[in-house]
Amino acid sequence: MASSASTVSAVATAAIDPSDLSTATTAATADAQRLELGRRLYQLGLGRDGREIGARIGAGGTVGLRGGAVACANCHGGDGRGGGEGWVRAPDLRWFALGRPRQRDDGSRRPGYDRATLGRALRAGVAADGVGLDPAMPRYDLADDELDAVFAHLRGLDRGADASAPPALLVLLPERDAAPAERLLDGWRNCPDPAAAAGRKRPALEVLRYRDWPQAVAELAARERAGRVAALFAPYLIDAEAELAAAPPPAALPLLLPVTLRGLAPEAATVWFGLPGQLEQARALIAERPRAGRWRLYRDPADPAALAQARTLAAELAGRGIAVEQVASLFDPDVAAQPEPAAILALSPLPPPTTDVATFAALALPAANLDWDAAQAWRQRGVRLRLAHAYPPQAAAAPGQWIGPQQAWQALGCELLAHLPPLPADAAALPAWRRQVAALPPLRLQGWFELPALAPAASEDSRVNLRDWPDAPAH
């Protein structure tokens, strides 16, 4: 064995040309110098030979500044993630964000940057699609080699900015209509911390605010490759369920307690401690009436999620020999005049009743599809409303006190944070940590609710809470 190793070493040594070593060393030195120049330009506004670079800002480029006053890090942050200075919001400059297309707030789409369009943006203030950048963005006086150095530094931010950071719990929050998500985040950051008395620190939450789902997925993939995400903690996915199904996060990345009304397809994400979504709730309502020989599924044609759920349920019912009809209106005279009574399930938000058709004996629906005024009107016409909830909406210890979705997710999130094992120090320990999380006992909220890590295997979800609206007892 030693002889073979010596032979391999001798052959390798004999094959090396000293000039090759010199060339490789020179190239490595040039790369290091380029990266260092890029870092100084980005962080300090210092160019080649330590000169202060000049730049112009304002309408027409009338204000001249130099050096540190126009350093990129002032607005975009030392790690390139973006931020703001004064009233200006600066975008993410890491290359995975710059190099990909993105959608602007006004709905327009700009293509990804390359070296040439980056140079035009930095020197002339023109975006990749030819649109002028904000006057607050400096127009820099950069030589070609300085521009190459900035380009190299931005690409390096993808790899090196947080390479040594330990894995974190990541919270996804949308930038638009974010008030409910922000309130949840504030609640989780201010949870009671019983673990602190035992000397154990609760895991910190790192936040990623995103404007569009493809941007979030790109960011997640980059962080996952770097081993910087232990799990997504209660990602706020209301109204993003379909987007997630079309562009799922990395397969190995678990979603702990996702905040979603529609629910998530199992193939779209690895979900632990997930509340049953609307499809599971609909199945529970169907399972409650095993002798129903006919179901009518109401779905609004403008509601794509409801249409998809109706297709799934119709196939399941047909497979069990149960007649099923999908209807776009609860008030079609032909539907109302059917001599054979049918169980009616509303997969879209419940509309108010009209006065020109016969009423139904009962309506079943997921609770999120109930409009209070419409429900009152149905009740006044003698219709029984049967609701499915993702959790018991009233605590046994306080039967007159209703628990809203915001309270439920906040309480469950605090309970989960209190029981998570300590986060690993590096990416190599992530698989073992995730196995520990998957094996945690159910989250138990005293006198109220239990939520297991994994959903039951049965198609009808036993966690769904069924009750009449408004005040019949749960069972």
Side-chain angles (χ1 to χ4, degrees), residues 175-419:
E175 288 188 1
R176 295 178 180 174
D177 302 322
E182 296 286 357
R183 286 194 294 271
L184 280 174
L185 178 61
D186 287 343
W188 295 324
R189 283 174 166 166
N190 293 285
C191 291
D193 193 3
R200 187 165 68 85
K201 187 177 180 181
R202 188 175 60 215
L205 300 178
E206 187 174 324
V207 181
L208 169 61
R209 292 177 171 83
Y210 65 93
R211 295 189 180 187
D212 59 80
W213 184 251
Q215 172 210 352
V217 172
E219 169 78 351
L220 288 175
R223 296 193 187 196
E224 173 72 5
R225 287 194 300 270
R228 291 180 42 232
V229 187
L232 292 180
F233 180 83
Y236 194 88
L237 300 171
I238 293 176
D239 295 332
E241 293 96 340
E243 293 178 292
L244 182 137
L253 196 58
L255 279 65
L256 306 182
L257 191 67
V259 179
T260 168
L261 293 178
R262 297 288 191 182
L264 303 176
E267 64 273 13
T270 303
V271 175
W272 295 336
F273 298 104
L275 290 172
Q278 289 187 358
L279 188 59
E280 289 79 16
Q281 294 169 40
R283 286 177 175 139
L285 287 164
I286 291 172
E288 189 184 34
R289 301 186 60 179
R291 296 184 180 180
R294 177 186 178 91
W295 277 93
R296 188 171 292 141
L297 307 179
Y298 162 67
R299 75 287 185 277
D300 186 334
D303 185 350
L307 292 172
Q309 291 173 4
R311 286 194 296 270
T312 299
L313 292 172
E316 293 176 1
L317 289 167
R320 289 154 50 188
I322 298 173
V324 61
E325 180 184 4
Q326 298 187 47
V327 297
S329 171
L330 291 173
F331 316 117
D332 185 333
D334 292 337
V335 171
Q338 294 277 350
E340 180 187 351
I344 300 173
L345 177 62
L347 299 173
S348 291
L350 186 65
T354 61
T355 58
D356 57 346
V357 296
T359 60
F360 307 113
L363 281 169
L365 63 157
N369 288 343
L370 180 138
D371 175 89
W372 195 90
D373 291 332
Q376 281 285 82
W378 283 103
R379 289 272 294 181
Q380 289 168 3
R381 298 191 63 179
V383 177
R384 177 191 181 210
L385 298 178
R386 189 65 170 163
L387 299 189
H389 294 265
Y391 59 90
Q394 287 181 289
Q401 182 177 349
W402 287 80
I403 301 164
Q406 188 93 14
Q407 295 170 285
W409 270 304
Q410 183 172 323
L412 289 165
C414 287
E415 189 76 2
L416 182 53
L417 284 172
H419 288 87

Side-chain angles (χ1 to χ4, degrees), residues 10 26 42 48-49 51 99 109-110 112 148-149 165 186 193 249 269 273 297 338 357 387-388 420 435 437:
T26 301
Y42 184 91
R48 188 188 341 101
D49 302 324
R51 77 177 181 97
R109 191 168 180 84
R110 71 119 172 101
D148 288 337
D186 287 343
D193 193 3
F273 298 104
L297 307 179
Q338 294 277 350
V357 296
L387 299 189
L420 284 176
R435 286 194 295 271
V437 176

